[in-house]
Amino acid sequence: MWRKVRTAILLLVLIGVAGHTWRDKVTTQSWKDTLWVGIFPLNADASPTAQQYIAGLKAEDFEPVERFFERESRRFGVLLTHPVHIELYPQSSELPPELDPHAGPLGVAWWSLKLRWFAAHAAVAPDRAPPRIRIFMLYHDAATLQSVPDSHGLQKGLIGVVHAFAEPAMAGSNNVVIAHELMHTLGATDKYDLGTGAPLYPNGFADPDRRPLYPQRRAEIMAGRRALSARDFEMPQNLGDVVVGPGTAQEIRWTRR
Ligand SMILES: [Zn+2]
């Protein structure tokens, strides 16, 4: 019984937000006005290390993401000089709902609704203009874990959840993850093998026509890694080594067929 009620409520809410989602998609893919992206830092593990790192964050730390969107959109003929503006918002304390890695389609839908609800009240900063896209940055103490949980970017709701190491040396690769999840909110899809993490050929390669093909010098943003050989690949250390491929450019409507 409860399951049916829950499904019915979920369906009603989904219908309600569908119109909103369509409007968001049109606005974020028009590339006529600068997109405002808000970074909301959070201390993911309540550690002093993450806290200290967050206290030292500056808006300039995220400028490479702005420059990446400028540089790459220009290559595809987008005329907007400043396509993305990143704004740093104050730290908040509540953490976003976690996605169970084994969640089925209904579980994922339920989680995404909870995340939208969370974003609606957590991402409020008095006296500050609300951003169009909200990125929740969850900082972890690098000394306590080997790898961070998976990050997510949702086109429905325009929300990103990025897990990052609270470590100055990782700021460049954290920006790669921000750009990747931001691209998801704009409608881009992953271009790597979900099982192995290997970039998919040709769309996940920065330079699919390169001869010899390996090693690739740069990574495609939605592959997230550059292929060194057919079996080896590595994550770029900063956005200077990352490009937007034609497949991704078409998905976010930098190019139109
Ligand atoms: Zn992805």
Side-chain angles (χ1 to χ4, degrees):
M1 177 63 189
W2 166 236
R3 202 183 163 81
K4 278 186 183 162
V5 171
R6 198 174 90 155
T7 310
I9 293 172
L10 188 59
L11 276 174
L12 280 174
V13 177
L14 284 174
I15 291 164
V17 296
H20 203 96
T21 303
W22 180 80
R23 199 196 60 197
D24 280 348
K25 182 171 150 72
V26 170
T27 320
T28 54
Q29 294 187 338
S30 73
W31 303 107
K32 290 197 175 90
D33 301 299
T34 301
L35 272 180
W36 279 59
V37 178
I39 300 275
F40 296 86
L42 294 158
N43 188 336
D45 54 11
S47 65
T49 305
Q51 197 49 46
Q52 200 183 351
Y53 188 81
I54 291 169
L57 281 176
K58 297 180 294 297
E60 298 93 272
D61 297 330
F62 305 98
E63 266 174 18
V65 181
E66 294 185 359
R67 288 202 299 271
F68 170 75
F69 275 83
E70 278 170 23
R71 185 190 77 210
E72 292 301 301
S73 64
R74 203 174 305 138
R75 285 202 308 118
F76 288 97
V78 174
L79 298 173
L80 190 61
T81 47
H82 201 49
V84 163
H85 171 74
I86 308 245
E87 202 53 29
L88 178 61
Y89 285 79
Q91 179 183 6
S92 46
S93 53
E94 199 188 333
L95 299 180
E98 275 177 54
L99 175 61
D100 177 357
H102 307 292
L106 192 62
V108 173
W110 188 243
W111 166 79
S112 79
L113 280 179
K114 284 194 291 183
L115 184 61
R116 292 171 80 155
W117 174 254
F118 164 83
H121 68 262
V124 175
D127 314 323
R128 298 278 296 270
R132 169 76 61 182
I133 298 170
R134 293 157 293 193
I135 305 274
F136 295 96
M137 287 295 293
L138 284 91
Y139 287 101
H140 299 258
D141 181 352
T144 58
L145 76 174
Q146 281 275 304
S147 61
V148 288
D150 286 341
S151 297
H152 302 281
L154 279 76
Q155 188 176 22
K156 291 178 180 166
L158 304 178
I159 302 165
V161 176
V162 173
H163 289 274
F165 283 121
E167 172 71 51
M170 302 293 283
S173 56
N174 288 345
N175 279 338
V176 175
V177 182
I178 293 174
H180 177 100
E181 303 307 337
L182 186 48
M183 282 284 179
H184 273 314
T185 70
L186 302 173
T189 59
D190 282 322
K191 291 170 184 66
Y192 62 89
D193 184 304
L194 295 176
T196 64
L200 294 177
Y201 187 84
N203 269 347
F205 280 58
D207 193 357
D209 299 326
R210 182 173 158 84
R211 293 292 173 267
L213 186 59
Y214 304 109
Q216 289 279 307
R217 282 169 303 174
R218 290 169 302 176
E220 202 283 332
I221 184 65
M222 297 317 288
R225 291 173 175 86
R226 71 182 180 107
L228 303 171
S229 71
R231 244 168 272 141
D232 302 301
F233 36 89
E234 68 170 20
M235 196 169 163
Q237 302 207 331
N238 62 67
L239 284 164
D241 293 328
V242 182
V243 300
V244 172
T248 299
Q250 199 188 318
E251 286 171 335
I252 64 170
R253 296 184 69 80
W254 279 353
T255 54
R256 284 149 212 236
R257 253 208 295 241

